[in-house]
Amino acid sequence: MSTRESTRARLLDATDEVVFAAGDATAPVDRILERAGVSPATLYRAYGSKEALVAAALDRRHAEWLEVWDAAIERARTDRDRLLAVFDALDDFRGRATGARWCAFLGTAAAYADPPPVLAAAVEQETASLRARLRLLAEPVAGPRTNAVADALALVFSGDLAMRLRDGAPQSAGTARTVAALVVDAPDRP
């Protein structure tokens, strides 16, 4: 028997709320089930395991993030602004109702020293996507320094996400965007 899409969505929503928005990557499956209002059998029929459910929620979050980032790129007028749009998108994404304490992917990676393959694959997909997109966007701006600039921007981006966990830290991507602009404008320094 298949699981209804509405039930799958409730499980994904509950995972997003409990694990990502609340920042509890190791939340017991019972909390997710209670929030979703479904039985353990429904979870296992739909996803096979808690880890597969979390991976599916990460995949959905990744798709949502890419839509927000694409919209920010589309609003940008120059190649430089398209490259830095990742930080504008981060501000946009943080302002959404599904915004999280910090990055769901970094949280998942931090919670598992040796993640199950399904979670490792979800985190790696997001990491590879971030790097590939930054390299593609950096090419017209940085030329031969594309890889160095893209790697530096990935570091600034990840650092901004991690800083959200510290009390009194800047809570806006504005600071990270300013640092990133310095990297873009002086590509020989990274």
Side-chain angles (χ1 to χ4, degrees), residues 90 94 100-104 106-107 110 154-167 169-171 176:
L90 189 53
R94 285 179 178 165
R101 188 166 168 248
W102 76 314
C103 176
L106 290 175
L155 183 64
V156 173
F157 178 81
S158 296
D160 181 54
L161 290 166
M163 286 302 293
R164 295 190 76 206
L165 298 173
R166 298 178 181 269
D167 288 337
Q171 295 298 307

Side-chain angles (χ1 to χ4, degrees), residues 49-180:
S49 68
K50 175 192 173 192
E51 291 79 14
L53 170 63
V54 172
L58 285 170
D59 289 345
R60 183 177 77 165
R61 184 170 272 265
H62 185 234
E64 291 170 356
W65 160 245
L66 292 178
E67 287 176 14
V68 172
W69 190 0
D70 285 343
I73 291 168
E74 208 170 290
R75 288 191 308 268
R77 298 213 183 266
T78 66
D79 288 336
R80 179 182 181 275
D81 287 342
R82 280 186 278 283
L83 175 57
L84 295 173
V86 67
F87 298 97
D88 302 329
L90 189 53
D91 266 349
D92 294 345
F93 198 78
R94 285 179 178 165
R96 294 167 61 123
T98 57
R101 188 166 168 248
W102 76 314
C103 176
F105 296 91
L106 290 175
T108 301
Y112 294 90
D114 185 21
V118 68
L119 288 177
V123 171
E124 177 52 35
Q125 174 189 350
E126 187 273 340
T127 302
S129 170
L130 175 68
R131 287 180 173 154
R133 290 174 70 114
L134 286 174
R135 283 188 175 111
L136 181 68
L137 292 165
E139 178 91 38
V141 178
R145 300 286 297 158
T146 291
N147 289 341
V149 169
D151 289 346
L153 294 184
L155 183 64
V156 173
F157 178 81
S158 296
D160 181 54
L161 290 166
M163 286 302 293
R164 295 190 76 206
L165 298 173
R166 298 178 181 269
D167 288 337
Q171 295 298 307
S172 166
T175 302
R177 191 183 199 287
T178 299
V179 170

Side-chain angles (χ1 to χ4, degrees), residues 28-50:
V29 72
D30 294 345
R31 284 195 27 224
I32 297 168
L33 294 173
E34 181 181 332
R35 179 73 184 101
V38 302
S39 70
T42 301
L43 163 73
Y44 296 111
R45 184 174 56 248
Y47 293 100
S49 68
K50 175 192 173 192

Side-chain angles (χ1 to χ4, degrees), residues 5-24:
E5 277 308 307
S6 62
T7 302
R8 285 178 169 273
R10 284 199 332 264
L11 280 163
L12 292 172
D13 291 345
T15 302
D16 202 76
E17 291 172 25
V18 171
V19 177
F20 306 145
D24 189 0

